[in-house]
Amino acid sequence: MAYLSYKRTQNIDVYDAILIGSGIGSLVTAVALSKAGKRCLILERHYAPGGYTHTFKRKQYEWDVGVHYIGEVMRPQSMLARLFRYINDGSLEWADMGEVYDRVRFGDEIFDFVKGRQAWTEQLKQYFPDHKDMVAIDQYVALVQSAAREAKGFFAEKALPKLASQVAGGMMRRGFMKFAGKTTLEVLQSITDNPKLIAVLTGQYGDYGLPPSQSSFAMHASVVRHYFNGGAYPVGGSARIYESIAPVIEAAGGMILVNAEVKRIITQKGKAVGVLMADGRELNAPLVISGAGIATTAQHLLSVDDRSASGLEKSLQKVEHSASHLCLYLGFKGRVDELNLPKANWWYYPAEFDHDSLVKRFNQDTNAEFPVIYVSFPAAKDPSWHERFPYQSTVEVITVASFEQFKPWLDTKWHKRGTDYEALKAQISERMLGKLYELEPQLKGHLDHCELSTPLSTRHFCNYERGEIYGLQHDPQRFSVKSLRPSTGIKGLYLTGQDVATAGVGGAMIGGILCASVILKRNLINEVISS
Ligand SMILES: Cc1cc2nc3c(=O)[nH]c(=O)nc-3n(C[C@H](O)[C@H](O)[C@H](O)COP(=O)(O)OP(=O)(O)OC[C@H]3O[C@@H](n4cnc5c(N)ncnc54)[C@H](O)[C@@H]3O)c2cc1C
């Protein structure tokens, strides 16, 4: 059994560590602790484990929620491939998405992002054959590579003890901060004055949720480089990520419980000693690790005094929540080949080469054109799909949302938010569906299931207060906040997941391994790299 329901579990032992949330960050930390002989108890409030890596089903359809493609896992020597092998003993298979992983489209103009840095560069130069643009493309790739090279020191610093960080931290952070402290737009405008080239180069900005004038260039570079060698998808769907990891934790005596909502982290004399569950039960452990996100941990799981003692209150004054999103989950009757579904994702923009203006306009008026439409085809990416779902295919369409638009229904319950909310959802769904049909007109007439998630759905299921897509926002300011790290001002309380490092499955995994490194006082990153 890969997990149990908290509500049906009477006897819960005392464990070495309690982890709040079962996202990939918590899972990585739990595996590393398990390998060091510690028994872990993972408490997940959702009915499904895995955090954003979980899948859900309606009728005969299945969708992933927060995993559409992952880079670097097809290269066995990459850090991420090694990290996956470390946590699941190599029991997860990946399917390559092929030569083109992203298709960026502005109006009718299409730009393919092809696998391989060299091939990618050459392809981009074909789209931009002007000499000045070609030089800028080379400079851009060099900058992306340099930012990525500096990342190791920056993140490794987060695992240093206080004294070592005071001595060596500045030096380890400096190189990366040269890139992280600037916006993507600033860096790109330093190499080109061609707005169309800038818009195309930032065509994947949805992967980190901020348009060029707001995002940190380091985050942009990290995502771009992550996919340079193509995209991959877990064979069997993204739930396989959790399924492949859980046995490692269980084999070491750990337990994973779903429907297990933590209400409060309990501290005694400045030390975390356990958690108070939503049903009033207390569970104790000498280590408490939160993978629920720093904002949720500080604002909902700590008392006012502990929030201030943890240092998290101060951090949160400096960093914003990331944007929220809408996702249209679609089920079509027909096989992938019948429906002619591609593996590559679509990034579809209006025929304007200015992401910032498009986002601004949408935030001022949600009836304005969607600033971006992202489309993913899990049925086409997963080679095992047809064994599992012989006659159906699924598609996901995502765009940005204005949280403010959904505020009137904040106090209503999921599926009982009223007819005006349903009417708004129907109207948005229709608009998003129209965009999909512009991209893939052959799908018309095959739709069988359509369901829209709003920021309130994300808040309900994943406990992000503003339904945010990527935890804390990835602007230059975020990277200057040193306290976004695994250790807190409270003894025995640690943080894991995307807010410790960066968003993305890979980023949250780095957060997870850094957290375990701090707890075990070992450089696990080096151990994983040399494994
Ligand atoms: C729409 C979308 C698309 C994405 N696409 C990609 C992609 O294609 N590739 C990629 O690499 N990344 C993608 N990401 C990002 C990636 O999924 C996340 O960055 C990563 O999974 C976050 O992992 P985490 O462990 O930090 O947190 P989460 O996965 O958010 O896990 C946190 C867990 O904590 C639980 N929790 C919260 N409060 C409590 C509580 N009080 N008690 C108990 N449990 C609690 C939550 O229910 C949740 O399960 C996407 C994300 C989204 C939302």
Side-chain angles (χ1 to χ4, degrees):
M1 183 67 181
Y3 58 89
L4 298 168
S5 172
Y6 170 74
K7 290 179 183 151
R8 284 192 236 120
T9 310
Q10 296 305 319
N11 300 320
I12 301 178
D13 219 348
V14 175
Y15 287 80
D16 298 312
I18 288 177
L19 291 102
I20 305 169
S22 65
I24 188 71
S26 292
L27 295 175
V28 171
T29 305
V31 168
L33 296 184
S34 302
K35 290 192 176 196
K38 295 199 186 295
R39 293 170 67 238
C40 296
L41 173 64
I42 299 185
L43 302 168
E44 169 56 59
R45 70 188 276 286
H46 199 295
Y47 63 79
Y52 274 142
T53 70
H54 82 277
T55 53
F56 72 97
K57 290 195 171 92
R58 300 276 186 267
K59 299 195 278 189
Q60 62 276 57
Y61 296 101
E62 178 188 278
W63 296 269
D64 47 44
V65 174
V67 180
H68 302 122
Y69 62 149
I70 298 187
E72 289 296 292
V73 286
M74 300 299 289
R75 288 198 315 125
Q77 302 313 319
S78 73
M79 169 69 190
L80 198 54
R82 287 172 199 264
L83 194 44
F84 264 109
R85 285 200 298 275
Y86 173 81
I87 57 169
N88 63 22
D89 295 337
S91 61
L92 177 64
E93 260 187 89
W94 295 97
D96 194 330
M97 283 171 65
E99 290 312 303
V100 179
Y101 50 97
D102 277 325
R103 305 197 79 195
V104 179
R105 178 169 159 174
F106 293 84
D108 288 334
E109 221 176 331
I110 296 173
F111 303 85
D112 284 344
F113 281 21
V114 299
K115 186 159 80 172
R117 193 175 72 230
Q118 195 62 36
W120 185 94
T121 308
E122 276 159 24
Q123 180 76 48
L124 257 277
K125 286 181 181 175
Q126 280 182 26
Y127 297 132
F128 295 92
D130 185 276
H131 179 70
K132 254 172 73 182
D133 290 336
M134 292 209 285
V135 172
I137 290 168
D138 283 332
Q139 286 176 319
Y140 169 75
V141 173
L143 284 167
V144 165
Q145 293 289 97
S146 304
R149 262 195 305 275
E150 299 288 354
K152 198 175 161 218
F154 177 85
F155 291 110
E157 187 278 330
K158 289 174 182 277
L160 290 185
K162 208 171 174 182
L163 194 64
S165 161
Q166 279 165 1
V167 176
M171 206 178 65
M172 292 170 79
R173 293 167 55 85
R174 200 168 302 135
F176 186 75
M177 282 310 294
K178 277 198 289 193
F179 300 100
K182 290 188 184 139
T183 66
T184 308
L185 191 63
E186 275 177 289
V187 174
L188 293 190
Q189 282 180 337
S190 73
I191 54 172
T192 178
D193 53 10
N194 181 348
K196 183 170 172 181
L197 178 58
I198 292 179
V200 173
L201 293 176
T202 51
Q204 299 159 305
Y205 83 81
D207 278 334
Y208 46 87
L210 277 179
S213 77
Q214 295 177 47
S215 58
S216 157
F217 178 72
M219 186 60 198
H220 168 82
S222 129
V223 166
V224 168
R225 185 174 170 278
H226 176 71
Y227 292 116
F228 263 159
N229 291 305
Y233 188 78
V235 177
S238 70
R240 281 289 304 136
I241 295 179
Y242 169 81
E243 288 163 10
S244 69
I245 301 167
V248 181
I249 298 165
E250 288 177 326
M255 178 153 81
I256 299 146
L257 298 176
V258 295
N259 297 314
E261 174 150 14
V262 172
K263 191 175 170 199
R264 185 75 81 215
I265 293 166
I266 307 169
T267 60
Q268 274 169 15
K269 296 183 186 153
K271 186 180 180 324
V273 293
V275 295
L276 175 69
M277 302 299 289
D279 65 358
R281 183 161 27 167
E282 272 189 39
L283 300 171
N284 295 105
L287 290 169
V288 177
I289 299 151
S290 179
I294 292 184
T296 302
T297 307
Q299 286 156 0
H300 298 290
L301 303 181
L302 291 175
S303 68
V304 174
D305 288 348
D306 286 341
R307 196 179 306 155
S308 152
S310 68
L312 299 182
E313 191 170 38
K314 259 194 182 159
S315 317
L316 289 176
Q317 283 163 4
K318 298 179 196 153
V319 199
E320 300 278 323
H321 296 246
S322 59
S324 45
H325 71 290
L326 297 158
C327 183
L328 193 61
Y329 295 97
L330 300 168
F332 290 90
K333 279 195 175 143
R335 294 193 315 263
V336 168
D337 56 340
E338 289 168 342
L339 297 172
N340 199 17
L341 296 181
K343 286 185 187 170
N345 309 308
W346 278 115
W347 295 98
Y348 189 22
Y349 300 100
E352 284 172 57
F353 297 98
D354 184 349
H355 298 304
D356 283 286
S357 299
L358 287 164
V359 170
K360 200 168 161 196
R361 202 184 308 158
F362 182 78
N363 285 339
Q364 283 162 354
D365 172 11
T366 48
N367 289 317
E369 272 210 274
F370 293 121
V372 52
I373 286 283
Y374 169 84
V375 189
S376 172
F377 305 91
K381 292 176 195 177
D382 176 9
S384 78
W385 185 271
H386 291 302
E387 288 157 32
R388 304 190 295 131
F389 308 102
Y391 307 109
Q392 303 84 24
S393 298
T394 52
V395 176
E396 290 134 10
V397 184
I398 298 179
T399 189
V400 291
S402 153
F403 181 69
E404 306 305 317
Q405 189 180 13
F406 294 92
K407 264 191 165 169
W409 296 278
L410 208 53
D411 296 327
T412 58
K413 287 207 159 71
W414 184 63
H415 265 202
K416 291 184 185 143
R417 302 199 198 275
T419 47
D420 42 358
Y421 177 77
E422 292 307 323
L424 175 64
K425 277 187 22 165
Q427 182 227 336
I428 295 172
S429 303
E430 207 51 44
R431 288 180 63 200
M432 292 174 76
L433 203 52
K435 287 286 162 193
L436 173 68
Y437 289 151
E438 285 175 22
L439 293 163
E440 304 290 345
Q442 76 282 9
L443 288 175
K444 277 186 198 165
H446 299 279
L447 185 64
D448 185 36
H449 185 87
C450 174
E451 186 169 333
L452 183 76
S453 81
T454 72
L456 299 185
S457 328
T458 306
R459 180 181 149 110
H460 170 77
F461 284 109
C462 304
N463 213 19
Y464 287 98
E465 181 151 296
R466 293 175 64 85
E468 55 266 37
I469 182 166
Y470 297 129
L472 299 174
Q473 174 161 287
H474 296 77
D475 56 7
Q477 176 73 4
R478 172 206 176 109
F479 292 97
S480 70
V481 180
K482 266 190 82 180
S483 49
L484 301 183
R485 57 201 298 125
S487 51
T488 70
I490 296 178
K491 247 181 130 187
L493 174 64
Y494 298 90
L495 305 167
T496 185
Q498 61 186 355
D499 289 342
V500 167
T502 67
V505 170
M509 289 174 75
I510 296 292
I513 202 77
L514 289 173
C515 179
S517 297
V518 171
I519 294 169
L520 298 172
K521 299 187 174 61
R522 270 166 50 195
N523 187 337
L524 291 172
I525 297 226
N526 274 359
E527 288 180 32
V528 170
I529 290 174
S530 54
S531 64

